[in-house]
Each structure stands twice: as structure tokens, then as C-alpha cells.
Amino acid sequence: QVQLVESGGGLVQAGGSLRLSCAASARTFRNYAMAWFRQAPGKERESVATINWSGSSTAYADSVKGRFTISRDNAKNTVYLQMNSLKPEDTAVYYCAAGSDRYSGPYDNWGQGTQVTVSS
């Protein structure tokens, strides 16, 4: 079981940027694909971005393509989400999650989440 701790959330104005970090406890971090999800009030949790074990393959939700970038540093056991050109509709609790193998989910190992609030 990989323990995950997110950080970097906060309040930002529309058009601004934030970088989220997710630190993993396990030395086997490099064995897992990772993902960022988000959940807005009253809405279901949705996938935002995924990345394979080496960082060579990424995927994004249409709503964030061209604005968000997922990356990872296996030496630091950390995955990042760089969020640019933020919009009020990006407001949500953001969670990182570990996949079941190096390439994909299911993503059923979650962090506690970090709040992102974008003001208009």
C-alpha cells in the first residue's frame, strides 16, 4: 500500500497558476502509474490526468488539456500537477491516486486531497 500526501492547493484568481505535489511513501513508487482526480461540490469524482511509471505517457481530461501538466520524479517519489490558466470551474478537492501497475488503474489508493479554489 502506497501512502500518498497531497499539497500545494489554495486560493487563486482566475487566470492564475498552482502546482500540486503528491508525495508517496513507498520505495516502489516507480512501479505504479499515477493519476490526479478532482471532486467539486455536488459532483462525482473525475479523472484529470494520468501518467505511466516512467512519465513517457500521459493523458488528460478534455476540460484541462493545454492548461494542466502532470509529471513525476521517481527519485523523489513525487507526482506533480502544474495548473495554468485556472478557471472558476476548476474549483474542487484534488486527489492523487496510485494505479494497480506501471501503466494504468484501477486507481484505488488515494491521498487525503487538497482544496483548490479559483475565484472569478
Side-chain angles (χ1 to χ4, degrees):
Q1 188 86 354
V2 179
Q3 303 300 315
L4 303 169
V5 179
E6 301 96 334
S7 62
L11 174 63
V12 64
Q13 289 188 333
S17 297
L18 282 174
R19 188 175 83 152
L20 306 183
S21 299
C22 173
S25 63
R27 289 179 293 175
T28 56
F29 173 76
R30 66 175 60 247
N31 289 341
Y32 299 100
M34 296 295 296
W36 285 96
F37 288 74
R38 68 186 181 186
Q39 187 166 21
K43 295 188 177 181
E44 293 188 357
R45 189 174 297 187
E46 63 173 348
S47 175
V48 173
T50 62
I51 188 166
N52 72 343
W53 71 280
S54 66
S56 63
S57 178
T58 59
Y60 298 91
D62 288 344
S63 59
V64 306
K65 278 181 183 176
R67 300 188 297 122
F68 290 12
T69 302
I70 188 171
S71 62
R72 65 190 296 160
D73 185 337
N74 287 342
K76 296 182 178 180
N77 286 0
T78 302
V79 62
Y80 305 98
L81 185 68
Q82 177 67 44
M83 306 186 294
N84 298 329
S85 302
L86 283 161
K87 304 175 181 180
E89 51 263 43
D90 295 318
T91 295
V93 178
Y94 284 71
Y95 301 88
C96 70
S100 60
D101 61 28
R102 287 187 169 192
Y103 300 100
S104 67
Y107 297 91
D108 54 6
N109 188 355
W110 302 89
Q112 84 289 348
T114 186
Q115 176 71 47
V116 172
T117 303
V118 184
S119 63
S120 56

PDB file of all heavy atoms in Angstrom, residues 12-19 63-69 81-87 90 118:
ATOM      1  N   VAL A  12      -6.721  31.002  -5.579  1.00  0.00           N
ATOM      2  CA  VAL A  12      -6.043  31.727  -6.655  1.00  0.00           C
ATOM      3  C   VAL A  12      -7.106  32.403  -7.527  1.00  0.00           C
ATOM      4  O   VAL A  12      -8.241  31.921  -7.621  1.00  0.00           O
ATOM      5  CB  VAL A  12      -5.170  30.763  -7.486  1.00  0.00           C
ATOM      6  CG1 VAL A  12      -6.019  29.713  -8.192  1.00  0.00           C
ATOM      7  CG2 VAL A  12      -4.289  31.504  -8.470  1.00  0.00           C
ATOM      8  N   GLN A  13      -6.745  33.510  -8.129  1.00  0.00           N
ATOM      9  CA  GLN A  13      -7.660  34.197  -9.030  1.00  0.00           C
ATOM     10  C   GLN A  13      -7.697  33.496 -10.392  1.00  0.00           C
ATOM     11  O   GLN A  13      -6.731  32.824 -10.800  1.00  0.00           O
ATOM     12  CB  GLN A  13      -7.236  35.645  -9.218  1.00  0.00           C
ATOM     13  CG  GLN A  13      -7.466  36.514  -7.994  1.00  0.00           C
ATOM     14  CD  GLN A  13      -7.222  37.982  -8.277  1.00  0.00           C
ATOM     15  OE1 GLN A  13      -6.436  38.324  -9.162  1.00  0.00           O
ATOM     16  NE2 GLN A  13      -7.901  38.845  -7.544  1.00  0.00           N
ATOM     17  N   ALA A  14      -8.798  33.656 -11.078  1.00  0.00           N
ATOM     18  CA  ALA A  14      -8.916  33.105 -12.428  1.00  0.00           C
ATOM     19  C   ALA A  14      -7.765  33.606 -13.292  1.00  0.00           C
ATOM     20  O   ALA A  14      -7.377  34.773 -13.223  1.00  0.00           O
ATOM     21  CB  ALA A  14     -10.250  33.495 -13.048  1.00  0.00           C
ATOM     22  N   GLY A  15      -7.198  32.690 -14.077  1.00  0.00           N
ATOM     23  CA  GLY A  15      -6.047  33.005 -14.904  1.00  0.00           C
ATOM     24  C   GLY A  15      -4.722  32.712 -14.236  1.00  0.00           C
ATOM     25  O   GLY A  15      -3.672  32.736 -14.890  1.00  0.00           O
ATOM     26  N   GLY A  16      -4.756  32.437 -12.954  1.00  0.00           N
ATOM     27  CA  GLY A  16      -3.542  32.155 -12.208  1.00  0.00           C
ATOM     28  C   GLY A  16      -3.089  30.717 -12.322  1.00  0.00           C
ATOM     29  O   GLY A  16      -3.670  29.917 -13.073  1.00  0.00           O
ATOM     30  N   SER A  17      -2.045  30.392 -11.563  1.00  0.00           N
ATOM     31  CA  SER A  17      -1.437  29.066 -11.617  1.00  0.00           C
ATOM     32  C   SER A  17      -1.217  28.510 -10.214  1.00  0.00           C
ATOM     33  O   SER A  17      -1.034  29.260  -9.256  1.00  0.00           O
ATOM     34  CB  SER A  17      -0.077  29.135 -12.331  1.00  0.00           C
ATOM     35  OG  SER A  17      -0.218  29.546 -13.666  1.00  0.00           O
ATOM     36  N   LEU A  18      -1.223  27.198 -10.143  1.00  0.00           N
ATOM     37  CA  LEU A  18      -0.852  26.471  -8.927  1.00  0.00           C
ATOM     38  C   LEU A  18      -0.119  25.205  -9.348  1.00  0.00           C
ATOM     39  O   LEU A  18      -0.383  24.667 -10.434  1.00  0.00           O
ATOM     40  CB  LEU A  18      -2.080  26.071  -8.101  1.00  0.00           C
ATOM     41  CG  LEU A  18      -2.775  27.121  -7.238  1.00  0.00           C
ATOM     42  CD1 LEU A  18      -4.046  26.537  -6.640  1.00  0.00           C
ATOM     43  CD2 LEU A  18      -1.862  27.648  -6.154  1.00  0.00           C
ATOM     44  N   ARG A  19       0.758  24.720  -8.478  1.00  0.00           N
ATOM     45  CA  ARG A  19       1.374  23.418  -8.696  1.00  0.00           C
ATOM     46  C   ARG A  19       1.089  22.529  -7.494  1.00  0.00           C
ATOM     47  O   ARG A  19       1.464  22.856  -6.371  1.00  0.00           O
ATOM     48  CB  ARG A  19       2.883  23.512  -8.916  1.00  0.00           C
ATOM     49  CG  ARG A  19       3.468  22.171  -9.335  1.00  0.00           C
ATOM     50  CD  ARG A  19       4.940  22.232  -9.676  1.00  0.00           C
ATOM     51  NE  ARG A  19       5.791  22.155  -8.498  1.00  0.00           N
ATOM     52  CZ  ARG A  19       7.025  21.661  -8.517  1.00  0.00           C
ATOM     53  NH1 ARG A  19       7.552  21.216  -9.651  1.00  0.00           N
ATOM     54  NH2 ARG A  19       7.749  21.664  -7.415  1.00  0.00           N
ATOM     55  N   SER A  63     -11.287  18.839 -20.504  1.00  0.00           N
ATOM     56  CA  SER A  63     -11.502  20.131 -19.851  1.00  0.00           C
ATOM     57  C   SER A  63     -10.203  20.805 -19.389  1.00  0.00           C
ATOM     58  O   SER A  63     -10.201  22.004 -19.110  1.00  0.00           O
ATOM     59  CB  SER A  63     -12.443  19.962 -18.662  1.00  0.00           C
ATOM     60  OG  SER A  63     -11.902  19.028 -17.730  1.00  0.00           O
ATOM     61  N   VAL A  64      -9.108  20.037 -19.307  1.00  0.00           N
ATOM     62  CA  VAL A  64      -7.853  20.623 -18.802  1.00  0.00           C
ATOM     63  C   VAL A  64      -6.721  20.555 -19.821  1.00  0.00           C
ATOM     64  O   VAL A  64      -5.626  21.064 -19.556  1.00  0.00           O
ATOM     65  CB  VAL A  64      -7.400  19.946 -17.489  1.00  0.00           C
ATOM     66  CG1 VAL A  64      -8.529  19.989 -16.461  1.00  0.00           C
ATOM     67  CG2 VAL A  64      -6.922  18.520 -17.718  1.00  0.00           C
ATOM     68  N   LYS A  65      -6.960  19.947 -20.966  1.00  0.00           N
ATOM     69  CA  LYS A  65      -5.908  19.824 -21.981  1.00  0.00           C
ATOM     70  C   LYS A  65      -5.379  21.188 -22.373  1.00  0.00           C
ATOM     71  O   LYS A  65      -6.138  22.130 -22.603  1.00  0.00           O
ATOM     72  CB  LYS A  65      -6.451  19.116 -23.221  1.00  0.00           C
ATOM     73  CG  LYS A  65      -6.466  17.615 -23.119  1.00  0.00           C
ATOM     74  CD  LYS A  65      -6.994  16.997 -24.409  1.00  0.00           C
ATOM     75  CE  LYS A  65      -7.070  15.485 -24.289  1.00  0.00           C
ATOM     76  NZ  LYS A  65      -7.669  14.865 -25.502  1.00  0.00           N
ATOM     77  N   GLY A  66      -4.051  21.294 -22.436  1.00  0.00           N
ATOM     78  CA  GLY A  66      -3.407  22.542 -22.805  1.00  0.00           C
ATOM     79  C   GLY A  66      -3.216  23.497 -21.638  1.00  0.00           C
ATOM     80  O   GLY A  66      -2.523  24.509 -21.770  1.00  0.00           O
ATOM     81  N   ARG A  67      -3.823  23.186 -20.491  1.00  0.00           N
ATOM     82  CA  ARG A  67      -3.691  24.059 -19.309  1.00  0.00           C
ATOM     83  C   ARG A  67      -2.971  23.361 -18.158  1.00  0.00           C
ATOM     84  O   ARG A  67      -2.232  24.007 -17.407  1.00  0.00           O
ATOM     85  CB  ARG A  67      -5.062  24.516 -18.818  1.00  0.00           C
ATOM     86  CG  ARG A  67      -5.851  25.300 -19.852  1.00  0.00           C
ATOM     87  CD  ARG A  67      -7.119  25.901 -19.238  1.00  0.00           C
ATOM     88  NE  ARG A  67      -8.049  24.882 -18.748  1.00  0.00           N
ATOM     89  CZ  ARG A  67      -8.470  24.806 -17.488  1.00  0.00           C
ATOM     90  NH1 ARG A  67      -8.041  25.678 -16.582  1.00  0.00           N
ATOM     91  NH2 ARG A  67      -9.321  23.853 -17.132  1.00  0.00           N
ATOM     92  N   PHE A  68      -3.188  22.053 -18.011  1.00  0.00           N
ATOM     93  CA  PHE A  68      -2.600  21.278 -16.912  1.00  0.00           C
ATOM     94  C   PHE A  68      -1.516  20.356 -17.458  1.00  0.00           C
ATOM     95  O   PHE A  68      -1.616  19.851 -18.575  1.00  0.00           O
ATOM     96  CB  PHE A  68      -3.655  20.420 -16.225  1.00  0.00           C
ATOM     97  CG  PHE A  68      -4.668  21.180 -15.411  1.00  0.00           C
ATOM     98  CD1 PHE A  68      -4.803  22.554 -15.491  1.00  0.00           C
ATOM     99  CD2 PHE A  68      -5.533  20.486 -14.570  1.00  0.00           C
ATOM    100  CE1 PHE A  68      -5.740  23.235 -14.743  1.00  0.00           C
ATOM    101  CE2 PHE A  68      -6.477  21.147 -13.818  1.00  0.00           C
ATOM    102  CZ  PHE A  68      -6.591  22.531 -13.899  1.00  0.00           C
ATOM    103  N   THR A  69      -0.490  20.123 -16.628  1.00  0.00           N
ATOM    104  CA  THR A  69       0.577  19.188 -16.984  1.00  0.00           C
ATOM    105  C   THR A  69       0.886  18.289 -15.797  1.00  0.00           C
ATOM    106  O   THR A  69       1.179  18.796 -14.701  1.00  0.00           O
ATOM    107  CB  THR A  69       1.855  19.934 -17.403  1.00  0.00           C
ATOM    108  OG1 THR A  69       1.571  20.797 -18.499  1.00  0.00           O
ATOM    109  CG2 THR A  69       2.936  18.956 -17.816  1.00  0.00           C
ATOM    110  N   LEU A  81       1.154  18.192 -10.437  1.00  0.00           N
ATOM    111  CA  LEU A  81       0.154  18.680 -11.385  1.00  0.00           C
ATOM    112  C   LEU A  81       0.329  20.196 -11.490  1.00  0.00           C
ATOM    113  O   LEU A  81       0.002  20.923 -10.543  1.00  0.00           O
ATOM    114  CB  LEU A  81      -1.270  18.340 -10.953  1.00  0.00           C
ATOM    115  CG  LEU A  81      -2.353  18.708 -11.962  1.00  0.00           C
ATOM    116  CD1 LEU A  81      -2.233  17.828 -13.215  1.00  0.00           C
ATOM    117  CD2 LEU A  81      -3.746  18.569 -11.348  1.00  0.00           C
ATOM    118  N   GLN A  82       0.877  20.632 -12.599  1.00  0.00           N
ATOM    119  CA  GLN A  82       1.008  22.062 -12.866  1.00  0.00           C
ATOM    120  C   GLN A  82      -0.284  22.540 -13.516  1.00  0.00           C
ATOM    121  O   GLN A  82      -0.687  22.019 -14.561  1.00  0.00           O
ATOM    122  CB  GLN A  82       2.197  22.342 -13.789  1.00  0.00           C
ATOM    123  CG  GLN A  82       2.366  23.799 -14.171  1.00  0.00           C
ATOM    124  CD  GLN A  82       2.749  24.667 -12.987  1.00  0.00           C
ATOM    125  OE1 GLN A  82       3.605  24.290 -12.187  1.00  0.00           O
ATOM    126  NE2 GLN A  82       2.116  25.829 -12.865  1.00  0.00           N
ATOM    127  N   MET A  83      -0.918  23.518 -12.898  1.00  0.00           N
ATOM    128  CA  MET A  83      -2.212  24.012 -13.371  1.00  0.00           C
ATOM    129  C   MET A  83      -2.066  25.480 -13.746  1.00  0.00           C
ATOM    130  O   MET A  83      -1.765  26.314 -12.889  1.00  0.00           O
ATOM    131  CB  MET A  83      -3.269  23.837 -12.291  1.00  0.00           C
ATOM    132  CG  MET A  83      -3.381  22.414 -11.773  1.00  0.00           C
ATOM    133  SD  MET A  83      -4.754  22.194 -10.630  1.00  0.00           S
ATOM    134  CE  MET A  83      -4.213  23.215  -9.265  1.00  0.00           C
ATOM    135  N   ASN A  84      -2.244  25.770 -15.015  1.00  0.00           N
ATOM    136  CA  ASN A  84      -2.163  27.141 -15.529  1.00  0.00           C
ATOM    137  C   ASN A  84      -3.510  27.591 -16.057  1.00  0.00           C
ATOM    138  O   ASN A  84      -4.399  26.774 -16.317  1.00  0.00           O
ATOM    139  CB  ASN A  84      -1.120  27.220 -16.643  1.00  0.00           C
ATOM    140  CG  ASN A  84       0.275  26.865 -16.172  1.00  0.00           C
ATOM    141  OD1 ASN A  84       0.640  27.091 -15.025  1.00  0.00           O
ATOM    142  ND2 ASN A  84       1.076  26.305 -17.079  1.00  0.00           N
ATOM    143  N   SER A  85      -3.654  28.881 -16.234  1.00  0.00           N
ATOM    144  CA  SER A  85      -4.897  29.459 -16.779  1.00  0.00           C
ATOM    145  C   SER A  85      -6.123  28.918 -16.054  1.00  0.00           C
ATOM    146  O   SER A  85      -7.095  28.488 -16.676  1.00  0.00           O
ATOM    147  CB  SER A  85      -5.002  29.173 -18.289  1.00  0.00           C
ATOM    148  OG  SER A  85      -3.887  29.694 -18.974  1.00  0.00           O
ATOM    149  N   LEU A  86      -6.067  28.941 -14.746  1.00  0.00           N
ATOM    150  CA  LEU A  86      -7.128  28.353 -13.944  1.00  0.00           C
ATOM    151  C   LEU A  86      -8.449  29.094 -14.128  1.00  0.00           C
ATOM    152  O   LEU A  86      -8.479  30.323 -14.315  1.00  0.00           O
ATOM    153  CB  LEU A  86      -6.726  28.328 -12.472  1.00  0.00           C
ATOM    154  CG  LEU A  86      -5.737  27.204 -12.117  1.00  0.00           C
ATOM    155  CD1 LEU A  86      -5.023  27.501 -10.818  1.00  0.00           C
ATOM    156  CD2 LEU A  86      -6.468  25.875 -12.048  1.00  0.00           C
ATOM    157  N   LYS A  87      -9.530  28.319 -14.054  1.00  0.00           N
ATOM    158  CA  LYS A  87     -10.881  28.839 -14.217  1.00  0.00           C
ATOM    159  C   LYS A  87     -11.684  28.531 -12.951  1.00  0.00           C
ATOM    160  O   LYS A  87     -11.374  27.570 -12.241  1.00  0.00           O
ATOM    161  CB  LYS A  87     -11.554  28.162 -15.409  1.00  0.00           C
ATOM    162  CG  LYS A  87     -10.795  28.285 -16.717  1.00  0.00           C
ATOM    163  CD  LYS A  87     -11.488  27.484 -17.814  1.00  0.00           C
ATOM    164  CE  LYS A  87     -10.727  27.576 -19.131  1.00  0.00           C
ATOM    165  NZ  LYS A  87     -11.395  26.791 -20.205  1.00  0.00           N
ATOM    166  N   ASP A  90     -12.546  25.011 -12.206  1.00  0.00           N
ATOM    167  CA  ASP A  90     -11.517  24.093 -11.720  1.00  0.00           C
ATOM    168  C   ASP A  90     -11.560  23.940 -10.200  1.00  0.00           C
ATOM    169  O   ASP A  90     -10.836  23.112  -9.645  1.00  0.00           O
ATOM    170  CB  ASP A  90     -10.122  24.584 -12.128  1.00  0.00           C
ATOM    171  CG  ASP A  90      -9.906  24.570 -13.624  1.00  0.00           C
ATOM    172  OD1 ASP A  90     -10.318  23.599 -14.286  1.00  0.00           O
ATOM    173  OD2 ASP A  90      -9.319  25.546 -14.141  1.00  0.00           O
ATOM    174  N   VAL A 118     -10.707  28.643  -7.134  1.00  0.00           N
ATOM    175  CA  VAL A 118     -10.397  29.656  -8.141  1.00  0.00           C
ATOM    176  C   VAL A 118     -11.506  30.700  -8.111  1.00  0.00           C
ATOM    177  O   VAL A 118     -12.665  30.393  -8.367  1.00  0.00           O
ATOM    178  CB  VAL A 118     -10.273  29.037  -9.535  1.00  0.00           C
ATOM    179  CG1 VAL A 118      -9.843  30.103 -10.550  1.00  0.00           C
ATOM    180  CG2 VAL A 118      -9.286  27.875  -9.533  1.00  0.00           C
TER     181      VAL A 118
END
